[in-house]
Amino acid sequence: MTQHPWQDRFADAMMKTFSPPLAMLVRGEGCYVWDEKGTQYLDFLAGIAVNSLGHAHPEVVAAVTKQIGTISHVSNYFATPPQIELAERLKRITGAGDEGRVYFCNSGAEANEAAFKLARLNNKGHRNRIISLHDSFHGRTMGALALSGKPHMREAFEPVPGGVEHIDSTIKALEATIDTTVAALFLEPVKGEAGVIDLPDGYLKRARELCTEHGVLLILDEIQTGIARSGAWFAYNHADILPDAVTIAKGMGGGVPIGALVTFGWASELFRRGQHGSTFAGNPLVTATANAVLGVIERDDLAANATLRGQQLREIILGFKSPWIEEVRGRGLLLGIGLTEPVALKLGAAALAEGLIVNAANETSIRIAPPLIVGDTELADFQDRFGRALASL
Ligand SMILES: *Cc1c(COP(=O)(O)O)cnc(C)c1O
């Protein structure tokens, strides 16, 4: 009896929420993955900025193995050592310091849901407006959808929670909007899902000033940009500001589902006992794993590697002098290749055929977000494979 092809089994078993998968992956090591036929791919997407240390990193494997054999889950009626250690570490690396507080959750969307509830608690003087940006992405759950500036994702599911307004990503729009009726401003420091779009120069600094002046919570969504991806622990480090809250997920767990909301200063006083929670959140298995991931990033200074390799990648990409390539956006190892024509899907497919995983974020943008551990070998390999893909267009 012949087994049905995996494509058919996927289509017959999985909800129709995703497009047909590009390949069936069975194994990974470092910056490479293999499909069921044994074909090797250079992974320059890293599970969308998740696999910070690449695949099957020995220190992550050891941490997971040790913790699952020790104690993997307890309810939130109890504390565990890895949970407290990770919360303390996040307070330190975010710069939230003594007044910082950490809420753990299981995904990016959940981190933003927690931040949304935090925003509702900033209602002294009956502030009721929440501001975010057109074309921003904050996740797929209802609150996160309300925050996202992507109407086509939202329309089928309305009504979503109210009170969210979307503005243009200009300092002018910011100045015209932020006042004492606003509870919170949500921003992605670089709009990842939109195709890796940078904010204007000086934007975060001005947002910080206006939010401070008017008592507005500045909430940064660093789910994609955070955890050293931009070349610093957080993208706000480049602007030399601190937010009132930051949401974190993707790269923190190196592949295990974990997210966090970290609050700073007075924002840490807003949540009260019993106002939020989650069964799995911050369990010892995922927090021990995240401790291992963050420990390696810090010890090996992978933020510096992200800066160096990001710069080298930019040079490689512009060095192709391809008529298809207009610009390179983004920071560190979160880069967007802006294309002159809407050929991103074709280019993504051509890259895959050359054994390279990149992401067509939209019709005119290729997003690349390799593991933070990339080195000379992987960059040379990228140059070969992406160069061939470009030439085949
Ligand atoms: C991926 C992402 C989210 C959503 O995270 P999930 O873990 O998919 O729920 C939210 N905000 C940003 C900026 C993201 O990149």
Side-chain angles (χ1 to χ4, degrees), residues 48-50 106-112 136-141 144 148 187-193 221-225 247 249-250 258 367:
I48 314 188
V50 167
N106 312 291
S107 68
E110 275 182 75
N112 283 335
S136 59
F137 179 74
H138 298 289
R140 300 288 202 142
T141 54
S148 297
L187 300 173
E188 284 172 273
V190 177
K191 282 188 271 186
E193 298 300 308
D221 178 342
E222 294 240 19
I223 289 163
Q224 192 157 159
T225 50
T247 54
K250 291 193 167 93
I258 181 168
R367 170 174 46 180

Side-chain angles (χ1 to χ4, degrees), residues 124-333:
K124 285 207 194 74
H126 307 289
R127 300 165 183 272
N128 53 14
R129 300 165 65 208
I130 292 175
I131 310 299
S132 82
L133 300 182
H134 287 307
D135 214 24
S136 59
F137 179 74
H138 298 289
R140 300 288 202 142
T141 54
M142 293 303 259
L145 264 187
L147 293 171
S148 297
K150 293 186 178 280
H152 69 278
M153 282 187 182
R154 200 163 56 225
E155 266 152 18
F157 305 102
E158 289 186 321
V160 295
V164 183
E165 298 164 38
H166 299 94
I167 62 170
D168 287 338
S169 308
T170 62
I171 291 179
K172 202 168 155 217
L174 196 62
E175 289 174 338
T177 309
I178 301 300
D179 61 27
T180 53
T181 65
V182 176
L185 170 65
F186 277 81
L187 300 173
E188 284 172 273
V190 177
K191 282 188 271 186
E193 298 300 308
V196 190
I197 309 288
D198 303 288
L199 289 174
D201 283 344
Y203 190 96
L204 284 182
K205 195 118 206 155
R206 189 73 187 115
R208 177 66 282 173
E209 287 167 4
L210 288 165
C211 287
T212 302
E213 186 182 335
H214 297 286
V216 176
L217 286 168
L218 175 59
I219 302 178
L220 296 183
D221 178 342
E222 294 240 19
I223 289 163
Q224 192 157 159
T225 50
I227 311 296
R229 181 146 297 276
S230 76
W233 272 125
F234 295 94
Y236 60 75
N237 298 137
H238 301 294
D240 211 14
I241 61 150
L242 292 178
D244 300 302
V246 60
T247 54
I248 311 170
K250 291 193 167 93
M252 172 165 59
V256 301
I258 181 168
L261 166 70
V262 181
T263 53
F264 297 59
W266 62 275
S268 296
E269 304 299 318
L270 292 172
F271 268 120
R272 296 273 154 235
R273 194 170 292 173
Q275 284 188 319
H276 204 36
S278 159
T279 300
F280 290 122
N283 82 22
L285 180 64
V286 295
T287 50
T289 312
N291 278 320
V293 172
L294 298 182
V296 172
I297 291 175
E298 189 158 12
R299 182 196 67 203
D300 296 349
D301 199 359
L302 295 183
N305 196 54
T307 302
L308 171 72
R309 302 307 179 178
Q311 192 51 41
Q312 291 173 335
L313 269 172
R314 200 178 276 270
E315 282 159 20
I316 289 171
I317 294 161
L318 293 172
F320 289 124
K321 302 210 181 307
S322 164
W324 301 106
I325 295 176
E326 183 165 297
E327 60 178 358
V328 181
R329 301 181 294 260
R331 193 144 203 169
L333 285 174

